[in-house]
Amino acid sequence: MLKKASGEAVLTRSTPIPRIYLHDLPLSAGAYQWQVTFIDSLGKPQSSGWRRFNITPQASGVLLPSGAVVATKAAQKPSPRLIPVGSTYASLGKLASSGEYAAAYMEYNAQAAREFSSAGPSLNKLPRSIQPVNGQYTTASVASIRALQDAASADASALEILAISSNFTGKSAYEQAAIARLLALAAVPTRGDSSEANADQANRIIYVALAKGLDYLGPKLSPVERVTVADALKDRISQVIANINSLDGVPYDSHQLASLHHLVQALMLCSGRSEIPEARAWLETVWELWVTTTGSWAGSDGGYGNGNTYAWYDFSVLPQTLATARLITGVDLSKWEPVKRAGEFFVAFTPANTNLRNSFGDGVETPQMYDAYSFDNFRLYAAMMGQASYEWYWRAKPSNINRSSAISPLHFFILGEGLTKATAAAPTQLVSEFRDAGLVAIHSSATSSNRSSLYFKSSRMGSLNHSHADQNSFNFVSQGRDILISGGYYPYFASPHHLAVTRATRFKNALTFDGGIGQAEPTNDPVKPGNPVFSSDPRGELISSQTLGDWTTVTGDATLAYRGKNPTSQAWSPLLSASVRTVSYNSKAKLLLIYDWATSATARKWELNFNAPTEFTKVGNTIKIVNSPASACIENFGPTGSFTLSSGFPVAPEVSQPTQYQARFNVASASKEFASLTIVREDCNQMPIKVNFSGTAATIQINNTSNSLAFDKKATTITP
C-alpha cells in the first residue's frame, strides 16, 4: 500500500512474487510512505512497518516502462537492433571518423585487421579448468577460472569487432571470419567448464556475445547455423533464468545482480526471435527484476556500499546496458536517480587521472581503476548523462580524448541518437556524502590529483559480500599519497589471507579491544579475533554531518557492528554497548581529528589501529608516516597508553605483495568506557593545539584562537 505522508491513499497493488514494480507509476514531488502485507511461511499474515521516501521535483515524472512494453519494443526493432533508427553503418562510420572518436574508430578497424590475421578462438585451446576443492577456491582454481574468463572475453571481443568492422570497411572477409568465430563460440559446451554453475562470469560473456552475433550476422547464417547458435544461447541463458529468483531470498548476491545487466542486453537482442520463443517472456521478468534491484548497494543517491573497486567492476557494464536499452527500445534512463547519480560516487571516491588505492572493500590495492574504465565505460556513460562534471571527469586525463584504443562500438552507435554533449566543467564540491551507502569523502580540492582526502565509512551493508568489518573506519590521503589505508590484500575471494586479515577490523583504521577483537566476530564470547562473519547484521550508520567554516565533521555509530554470532543458535550478541566515532577534517589547517567514544558491560583494554603502506616510526608518544612528499604525525589524547608498531600479517597473502605496516594505540588499563581523541597532523605541522578532557567530553582549541571543537559522545560543537 502506498500513501502520501498526509495519509491519502495512492495505490494498492498485489503480486505473487516478493517484488512490487512501481516505476511505471507517475508520482508528483512530495513525501510518501509505504507498507507491505504478506503471508509468512507458516501461512500467517504479516505487515511491515511503514517506510518513507521523498520524490524530488527533479525526479518527479520519471517513468520506466513495464517489462511487457520493453519486450514488445525490443521484438519490434529490426536487426541489427543496436543501429539507431534512421542510421546505417556508413552514416555512423562517417560520424565516428570525423570527430573526437576518429582515433578510436581507426584503432577499432585496425584491431579488426589484427583479429583477422590472428590464430583464431582462444577458448577451444584452453586445458580443462581446475575446479574448486570441496567448494573452496584455491590459487590454482582461481587462475584457471580467470584464464577462462579472459579467453571468453577475447573471443567475444574478436567476434564483435570483426562483425562490426566488416560493415564499416566493406571487407566481406571480416564477416566470414566473424561467422567462424560465432560458430566456434556456439560449439563450446554449454554445460562444461564455462557453464553457469562452473564459471558464471565466463558464461555471461559468452551468451551476450552469442546474442550479438545472432543479431549482427543472423541473415548471413544458414538456417542450421542459426538454430545452432540459438540453441547454445538459449541453453546458456536458461541456466541463469533457472536460479534468478534466488534474489528474492538473497537480495545481495553480487553475482546474480551483475548477471541481470548481461541478461537485459542479451534478451533485448533476441526477444521475439522465432528460434528462442522464451526470450520475450524472459525479458519481461528480467527487466523488472533489473529495475527493482538497480541501486541495491546504495539506493538513489548514487553511492555504492559493496567496496570501491567493485563499484567500478559493476559500473563497467552499466553504460552498456543503458546504451543497449536506449538504442533498441528507446528507453532513456538518464533521468532515473540511481543511474543519473552513479557518476557522482566515482568523481568523489576515485580522483581523476590518478592511480591511488581505493578506499574500502575487496581489491582496494588495485590502483588502475580510473585508467581502466574512464576512457571507455565512463566516457560512454557521460555521453548519455549529459552532465558537465561527468564530461570533465573522463577528459581529466588528456590522452583519453584522442586515445587510440579499441572501445565499445556502442560509442559509435550512440552518435546516431544525436545527443547534445555537455560542455565539460570541473566539479566544485569538496564534501560528498552517500548516506544510503554509509560513505563520506572530504577533499582539499575537487579536481587536483595531488589533493588531500579523508574517506569515512559507517554502512548498513556491514561485512556482507565484498565489504569488510570496517564500520567507523577511515582512510587518509595527503598530497596525492596514501597515508592511512585499508589493510590486507585480495588474492581471491575467501582465501585464508582474505578471511583472516583483509576483512578483519584490526587491519583497518578502526577501534578494537582485548588483542584485536572487533566487528562481526564468529563467536558470541570471543577471547581472540576470529574471521569476520559475512553479514549485513553487524552494521554501521552515519548519524550526523556538518560543515562549518573550514571544518567538516561526520559521526558514525558502529555499535551494532561490534557483535559476535553464536555458531550454534546463529544469534548475535553485543560485544559493546556503544561505539561512536566522529572525524573532523580541516584541509587548510592540515588537521584531522578522530574522537572515539565506546562503552561495554565488560571492562575492555581498548585499542586504536592504524595501517599504512610505509613504515611507521615512533618518537615519544607520537608516530610518524612518510610517503614522500607527504607525511603525517599521529598523537593520542585521553586514557594513558602507548603505541606498538608491527609489519606483515599473521596469514600471508597467497600472491606476492608489498609489506604493509601497522601501529596500534593500546590503552594501559581496562575500563567499561572509553573516550579518546587522535590528532593527525599533515606534514607533521606544529600548529598549537590545546586538548582538554572532562570525563568523556573533549575540547580542542586551535592555534591559540577562538576556533575550537568540542566532542562528547554523539555530540559535536564547532566554534569557527
Side-chain angles (χ1 to χ4, degrees):
M1 178 179 291
L2 179 66
K3 295 181 178 181
K4 291 186 177 179
S6 62
E8 178 186 346
V10 176
L11 175 77
T12 298
R13 184 174 288 183
S14 298
T15 176
I17 58 176
R19 290 188 302 280
I20 299 179
Y21 189 83
L22 297 178
H23 293 77
D24 58 343
L25 182 68
L27 296 177
S28 58
Y32 295 84
Q33 55 183 332
W34 61 276
Q35 183 187 57
V36 174
T37 300
F38 58 96
I39 304 299
D40 67 16
S41 59
L42 300 177
K44 296 181 180 180
Q46 303 284 351
S47 294
S48 72
W50 284 95
R51 311 292 174 86
R52 295 170 177 80
F53 66 91
N54 294 309
I55 299 291
T56 65
Q58 295 79 13
S60 64
V62 176
L63 296 180
L64 303 182
S66 67
V69 170
V70 166
T72 298
K73 287 185 175 183
Q76 292 172 344
K77 180 74 185 289
S79 294
R81 293 183 180 181
L82 290 171
I83 300 300
V85 174
S87 296
T88 64
Y89 281 111
S91 65
L92 294 173
K94 185 176 181 180
L95 289 172
S97 62
S98 60
E100 286 186 337
Y101 281 116
Y105 177 74
M106 183 179 298
E107 174 59 24
Y108 194 83
N109 292 318
Q111 181 66 26
R114 290 191 290 271
E115 295 292 355
F116 181 73
S117 301
S118 72
S122 303
L123 269 173
N124 56 14
K125 298 174 184 176
L126 288 178
R128 285 289 311 214
S129 290
I130 301 171
Q131 294 300 315
V133 178
N134 297 323
Q136 298 296 313
Y137 289 112
T138 64
T139 302
S141 68
V142 168
S144 179
I145 291 171
R146 287 175 178 167
L148 185 68
Q149 292 170 203
D150 291 344
S153 182
D155 286 355
S157 176
L159 161 60
E160 184 172 33
I161 286 173
L162 287 165
I164 299 300
S165 187
S166 70
N167 289 280
F168 282 152
T169 63
K171 294 182 178 180
S172 58
Y174 287 3
E175 183 177 83
Q176 292 305 307
I179 291 172
R181 295 292 187 114
L182 175 60
L183 295 176
L185 206 54
V188 175
T190 59
R191 303 280 171 154
D193 288 349
S194 62
S195 69
E196 182 69 12
N198 290 330
D200 61 329
Q201 291 167 311
N203 184 46
R204 68 180 65 146
I205 292 169
I206 294 171
Y207 68 66
V208 170
L210 292 173
K212 288 179 177 179
L214 192 59
D215 186 61
Y216 293 147
L217 302 166
K220 302 300 177 71
L221 301 176
S222 70
V224 172
E225 289 172 334
R226 279 197 296 274
V227 170
T228 297
V229 175
D231 284 350
L233 171 58
K234 181 167 66 174
D235 190 44
R236 287 187 176 278
I237 291 180
S238 70
Q239 296 172 47
V240 192
I241 295 295
N243 295 314
I244 203 67
N245 286 334
S246 65
L247 279 169
D248 296 336
V250 189
Y252 294 108
D253 184 330
S254 61
H255 279 237
Q256 289 281 46
L257 290 171
S259 73
L260 294 176
H261 286 279
H262 299 83
L263 285 173
V264 167
Q265 293 176 42
L267 291 170
M268 281 189 172
L269 288 163
C270 57
S271 175
R273 291 197 71 99
S274 60
E275 304 95 341
I276 313 177
E278 303 90 342
R280 187 165 182 160
W282 285 345
L283 180 55
E284 290 185 21
T285 299
V286 168
W287 171 261
E288 295 193 0
L289 186 54
W290 177 72
V291 167
T292 53
T293 56
T294 294
S296 290
W297 295 112
S300 61
D301 64 6
Y304 190 92
N306 197 31
N308 299 158
T309 303
Y310 273 80
W312 277 109
Y313 292 159
D314 277 9
F315 181 81
S316 68
V317 72
L318 174 65
Q320 298 171 39
T321 306
L322 302 178
T324 299
R326 182 168 193 139
L327 291 165
I328 294 179
T329 67
V331 176
D332 177 11
L333 298 167
S334 64
K335 301 297 187 292
W336 186 30
E337 291 287 292
V339 164
K340 172 181 153 184
R341 299 190 62 189
E344 296 177 16
F345 179 75
F346 298 105
V347 173
F349 273 83
T350 304
N353 197 18
T354 66
N355 280 318
L356 285 170
R357 293 168 55 92
N358 295 291
S359 287
F360 303 106
D362 288 342
V364 295
E365 69 271 21
T366 309
Q368 302 90 6
M369 308 313 287
Y370 179 86
D371 274 357
Y373 297 109
S374 61
F375 76 95
D376 187 351
N377 304 87
F378 202 96
R379 182 179 187 176
L380 179 61
Y381 171 77
M384 292 180 286
M385 295 301 106
Q387 295 193 40
S389 60
Y390 296 169
E391 195 67 26
W392 169 85
Y393 186 69
W394 76 264
R395 292 173 178 271
K397 184 172 184 177
S399 60
N400 278 350
I401 299 171
N402 294 302
R403 181 165 173 165
S404 179
S405 297
I407 59 178
S408 168
L410 291 169
H411 288 272
F412 311 140
F413 298 160
I414 210 75
L415 291 173
E417 293 284 302
L419 302 180
T420 301
K421 182 185 297 183
T423 301
T428 58
Q429 190 170 332
L430 298 181
V431 180
S432 296
E433 179 178 346
F434 301 93
R435 190 166 285 262
D436 288 342
L439 296 166
V440 179
I442 307 169
H443 304 297
S444 62
S445 166
T447 58
S448 173
S449 59
N450 293 321
R451 69 189 183 187
S452 296
S453 300
L454 173 69
Y455 301 102
F456 183 75
K457 175 184 178 183
S458 197
S459 173
R460 64 183 173 89
M461 296 302 171
S463 51
L464 183 70
N465 207 264
H466 294 294
S467 299
H468 299 163
D470 59 354
Q471 311 316 313
N472 278 5
S473 72
F474 70 93
N475 298 303
F476 188 56
V477 173
S478 179
Q479 300 180 56
R481 298 292 188 273
D482 291 306
I483 295 295
L484 295 170
I485 64 172
S486 176
Y489 291 100
Y490 185 52
Y492 56 87
F493 190 80
S495 79
H497 174 82
H498 177 241
L499 294 176
V501 173
T502 310
R503 291 175 42 77
T505 312
R506 66 191 185 281
F507 291 101
K508 312 302 169 188
N509 303 306
L511 172 75
T512 57
F513 52 88
D514 297 346
I517 296 172
Q519 303 170 14
E521 291 291 349
T523 61
N524 56 308
D525 189 19
V527 295
K528 63 179 181 179
N531 296 348
V533 178
F534 288 90
S535 174
S536 60
D537 289 333
R539 60 194 181 272
E541 180 187 10
L542 297 176
I543 58 174
S544 66
S545 62
Q546 63 174 312
T547 297
L548 192 59
D550 295 327
W551 289 96
T552 295
T553 296
V554 181
T555 300
D557 188 338
T559 304
L560 291 177
Y562 289 92
R563 291 190 285 175
K565 189 172 188 178
N566 187 306
T568 303
S569 68
Q570 302 297 297
W572 289 97
S573 298
L575 302 177
L576 301 181
S577 48
S579 181
V580 175
R581 168 171 279 185
T582 299
V583 294
S584 296
Y585 182 47
N586 183 330
S587 62
K588 292 183 179 178
K590 296 190 174 185
L591 292 175
L592 166 60
L593 311 180
I594 304 107
Y595 170 80
D596 285 285
W597 171 66
T599 61
S600 171
T602 303
R604 306 289 192 184
K605 294 195 71 174
W606 306 95
E607 303 150 354
L608 297 172
N609 299 276
F610 304 92
N611 295 265
T614 58
E615 191 169 3
F616 290 94
T617 56
K618 185 166 61 171
V619 180
N621 291 323
T622 299
I623 56 173
K624 182 177 182 179
I625 319 157
V626 177
N627 192 356
S628 186
S631 64
C633 287
I634 302 174
E635 51 193 330
N636 183 268
F637 298 85
T640 301
S642 60
F643 284 103
T644 57
L645 308 183
S646 59
S647 63
F649 308 106
V651 178
E654 287 73 15
V655 294
S656 179
Q657 293 284 9
T659 299
Q660 291 179 359
Y661 301 87
Q662 302 86 35
R664 175 181 291 175
F665 182 80
N666 304 278
V667 174
S669 301
S671 65
K672 293 184 178 181
E673 187 169 47
F674 173 64
S676 163
L677 179 76
T678 302
I679 299 179
V680 180
R681 297 173 179 264
E682 277 190 89
D683 300 335
C684 292
N685 71 80
Q686 297 300 308
M687 180 174 289
I689 298 175
K690 294 180 180 178
V691 178
N692 180 63
F693 260 97
S694 176
T696 60
T699 303
I700 303 94
Q701 184 182 23
I702 309 297
N703 202 24
N704 297 318
T705 67
S706 60
N707 182 196
S708 66
L709 295 90
F711 306 103
D712 191 11
K713 300 178 181 178
K714 297 181 180 181
T716 302
T717 303
I718 302 174
T719 304

